[in-house]
Amino acid sequence: MNTEKKHNLEITKAKESKIDSVDFNNLSFGRSFTDHMFSCDFKDGKWQVGKVIPYSPLTLDPSARVFHYGQAVFEGMKAFKDQDNQVWLFRPEDNFNRINISAARLAMPEFPKEVFFEGLTELLKLDDAWIKNTKGSAMYIRPFVIATEPAISASPASEYKFMIIMSPAQAYYAGEVRVLIATEYSRATDGGVGFAKAAGNYAAQFYPTSLAHKEGYQQIIWTDSSAHEFLEEAGTMNIFFRINDTLITAPTSDRILDGITRKSVIQLAKDNNIDVEIRPIKVEEINDAAQNGSLKEIFGSGTAAVINPILGFKHKEFKHELPKQDAPYSAFFKEKLNAIQYNLAEDPHGWRYKI
Amino acid sequence: MNTEKKHNLEITKAKESKIDSVDFNNLSFGRSFTDHMFSCDFKDGKWQVGKVIPYSPLTLDPSARVFHYGQAVFEGMKAFKDQDNQVWLFRPEDNFNRINISAARLAMPEFPKEVFFEGLTELLKLDDAWIKNTKGSAMYIRPFVIATEPAISASPASEYKFMIIMSPAQAYYAGEVRVLIATEYSRATDGGVGFAKAAGNYAAQFYPTSLAHKEGYQQIIWTDSSAHEFLEEAGTMNIFFRINDTLITAPTSDRILDGITRKSVIQLAKDNNIDVEIRPIKVEEINDAAQNGSLKEIFGSGTAAVINPILGFKHKEFKHELPKQDAPYSAFFKEKLNAIQYNLAEDPHGWRYKI
């Protein structure tokens, strides 16, 4: 294989592409990966040269700390191709900043911005053919950092790997989503790591979510761990409530992820004269609004689904189906966001990033 | 390599031992591993044949779920060699049960008991030369389970690896340990995964612990996440307080690990007519006891250190050095436990397990 040097990068191209083995009309989320990946090692106290290399398995000692102590963080981002085949990212600096915020909370070293953007750009250029410009298609991008040092003492590692892998994605349809409001299990707590995209936050939700599935609910809206009185987030999505014509979402905190789609929705609401309140939301308030008919919509926001309308919820013994809206906010925000992402609309806030 | 079949196991011996490369008088905890390891894959809905194989790196797809969602649990156990070169485990059924309890909380499949004990026994026999019968020497055993399925959707994996690796250990000396009592950061919460040996619980403690280090404190005693009023555990140790001649430790809960050394200390206290109270402990009570002189000792209990005396603590602005005891409980329990572990004393509760 030929290795090329470019600024802060070493680039080794795959001998052949596996793109023909992928059915782009039947993609299962996060199961197919492109021909290349980005990899950069931290050792001897610093990040080494970043490498764009053929997508390939990792070889790690069984004592690598990521296997034992969950020292791992990640991000989720998307690249979009417009009708002129130009590729765009959406607010990638926010993802970059957040992975370093997550890393700091897990005592992991900060990654340099320049190397991240050079690596990601090179990766998107090499695997450009994997990004389709058909409606709803996107490239899901997964940066992640793992502790690789081979030693099982319970302390921060001295060696890490920063990686970026990419998976082509179709328009995301999560199916019909109804949610259970948490009354027993918890996702996060004050002084914990709930605000970080820390690997362990996700595994901790799998079992309670599997119990919700058995009752017919696809996701959980997590509540405060002290009294389960306040609505927080859904683990892979932030949550918005529409009461009459006002949009309400919980404030970010050390328990709640500072979602990039969340803050884009808030900005778009302001731009479009939709009242938006960022404040603690009592479960009781939502139950009351459901009963008196003022609760019009609930939807989630996140990178994978962009906006995910929620059809109904259950809290303790109270079950509620949301009414159908003629012009739902969820569809409005999804369309507005997609239009910016696919370069079909003006971008007044400079959210698009050209590759 | 020759592969031998034995009951539920396939055994492949290492061609040569690396034991001569290890300095047994200068072991750093968890950095040297023996010649063999146990590995068993879960796929197609069941655990496959367990394998004892040469210690070697793992090859995993970068999309393996353990890297992204922290779906990983572990155990810590020790094997001891007596003066007749007989090898013993200490309460291994409790470790086995607990790894399945941890796994269940992270939506991971239960591992079969028979395969665990056969695999571990075979491993200890093959690597017997690595277990020294010198005072304080032991074999640290690390069973762990990781999600290996190559797909980054945020849901429980369908493929796992159950592994056991082993690292020779000398008498563990943690150095002088002073602790900071948590007032801001949190380790666990009601309804969370604090009781489980879930990988993510450990990474979450690294950053707050690094802040404690800067102030001269080696560990943190975690408190309840709601108000930081009650003392819980130290993350790698349960905590005991001796007020006058009474031993006090917090009850286990979904926030606190059900430590095997912890419950052994409680039993030994009862056996030796030491009053022991298992109840919530207010920070305020310990501060008051420190000030009026009734707080005699604080110590941690865990597999690695067995019993770890704590020399002092800090809570907010209150700093306290513990008084020296002529006959500390910490030394008493450590000696009692070691005597049972190394087959130097009767074993009335059947804690030893012969290999």
Side-chain angles (χ1 to χ4, degrees), chain B residues 1 12-15 18 34-37 52-57:
Chain B
M1 287 184 288
T12 308
K13 291 181 188 165
K15 279 188 189 155
K18 59 191 177 195
T34 67
D35 291 322
H36 298 88
M37 64 185 191
V52 171
I53 52 176
Y55 188 91
S56 52

Side-chain angles (χ1 to χ4, degrees), chain A residues 30-31 33 55-56 58-63 68-69 74 105 142 144 149 151-152 186 189-191 199 203-204 207-208 225, chain B residues 30-31 33 55-56 58-63 68-69 105 142 144 149 151-152 186 189-191 199 203-204 207-208 225:
Chain A
R31 291 194 175 266
F33 296 91
Y55 188 89
S56 51
L58 302 181
T59 301
L60 291 176
D61 197 85
S63 67
H68 303 270
Y69 304 126
F74 71 95
R105 182 58 181 84
R142 170 56 59 90
F144 64 106
E149 190 191 8
I152 54 168
S186 304
T189 189
D190 289 326
Y207 176 70
S225 63
Chain B
R31 291 194 175 266
F33 296 91
Y55 188 91
S56 52
L58 301 181
T59 301
L60 291 176
D61 197 86
S63 67
H68 304 269
Y69 304 126
R105 181 59 181 83
R142 169 57 58 90
F144 65 106
E149 189 191 8
I152 54 168
S186 305
T189 188
D190 289 327
Y207 174 70
S225 63

Side-chain angles (χ1 to χ4, degrees), chain A residues 65-81:
Chain A
R65 280 209 179 82
V66 62
F67 298 136
H68 303 270
Y69 304 126
Q71 213 187 357
V73 296
F74 71 95
E75 271 302 321
M77 353 177 13
K78 274 182 177 170
F80 306 88
K81 195 174 250 181

Side-chain angles (χ1 to χ4, degrees), chain B residues 159-297:
Chain B
E159 295 172 15
Y160 298 88
K161 222 177 244 301
F162 188 110
M163 303 201 63
I164 307 175
I165 57 177
M166 305 202 301
S167 178
Q170 286 175 284
Y172 189 93
Y173 176 62
E176 298 208 331
V177 175
R178 287 177 177 79
V179 295
L180 197 65
I181 296 176
T183 53
E184 182 187 352
Y185 289 99
S186 305
R187 175 187 171 275
T189 188
D190 289 327
V193 299
F195 70 96
K197 287 189 86 76
N201 286 343
Y202 294 79
Q205 300 176 62
F206 291 168
Y207 174 70
T209 304
S210 74
L211 296 180
H213 281 180
K214 284 181 193 160
E215 289 193 68
Y217 298 89
Q218 288 70 40
Q219 299 212 29
I220 292 174
I221 300 184
W222 297 102
T223 49
D224 64 289
S225 63
S226 317
H228 302 290
E229 264 185 312
F230 291 92
L231 294 151
E232 302 208 319
E233 61 147 289
T236 58
M237 304 191 295
N238 293 104
I239 295 288
F240 286 85
F241 301 88
R242 175 185 167 191
I243 295 184
N244 292 321
D245 288 341
T246 300
L247 205 57
I248 313 170
T249 194
T252 57
S253 69
D254 55 0
R255 302 181 310 275
I256 302 181
L257 186 81
D258 184 10
I260 295 161
T261 313
R262 172 188 175 278
K263 61 186 176 188
S264 303
V265 167
I266 294 169
Q267 185 61 55
L268 287 174
K270 290 176 181 166
D271 293 351
N272 289 277
N273 299 312
I274 293 171
D275 283 338
V276 54
E277 295 178 4
I278 301 160
R279 60 166 173 84
I281 310 157
K282 279 204 164 183
V283 181
E284 204 184 349
E285 177 184 356
I286 297 304
N287 288 351
D288 289 348
Q291 280 170 310
N292 70 28
S294 60
L295 180 68
K296 305 297 183 191
E297 289 180 69

Side-chain angles (χ1 to χ4, degrees), chain A residues 17-37:
Chain A
S17 176
K18 60 191 177 195
I19 194 167
D20 291 339
S21 68
V22 174
D23 178 358
F24 280 81
N25 296 315
N26 287 293
L27 293 168
S28 178
F29 181 78
R31 291 194 175 266
S32 300
F33 296 91
T34 67
D35 291 321
H36 298 88
M37 63 185 191

Side-chain angles (χ1 to χ4, degrees), chain B residues 58-78:
Chain B
L58 301 181
T59 301
L60 291 176
D61 197 86
S63 67
R65 279 208 180 82
V66 62
F67 298 135
H68 304 269
Y69 304 126
Q71 214 187 357
V73 296
F74 72 96
E75 271 302 320
M77 3 183 358
K78 274 183 176 169

Side-chain angles (χ1 to χ4, degrees), chain B residues 24-95:
Chain B
F24 281 81
N25 295 314
N26 286 295
L27 293 168
S28 177
F29 180 78
R31 291 194 175 266
S32 300
F33 296 91
T34 67
D35 291 322
H36 298 88
M37 64 185 191
F38 172 80
S39 177
C40 187
D41 289 331
F42 183 89
K43 61 180 173 183
D44 303 328
K46 63 171 195 277
W47 291 103
Q48 307 295 309
V49 175
K51 293 176 182 178
V52 171
I53 52 176
Y55 188 91
S56 52
L58 301 181
T59 301
L60 291 176
D61 197 86
S63 67
R65 279 208 180 82
V66 62
F67 298 135
H68 304 269
Y69 304 126
Q71 214 187 357
V73 296
F74 72 96
E75 271 302 320
M77 3 183 358
K78 274 183 176 169
F80 306 89
K81 195 174 251 182
D82 71 18
Q83 291 307 307
D84 297 327
N85 291 320
Q86 172 64 47
V87 174
W88 303 91
L89 294 167
F90 183 73
R91 310 188 77 172
E93 301 214 354
D94 291 338
N95 294 99

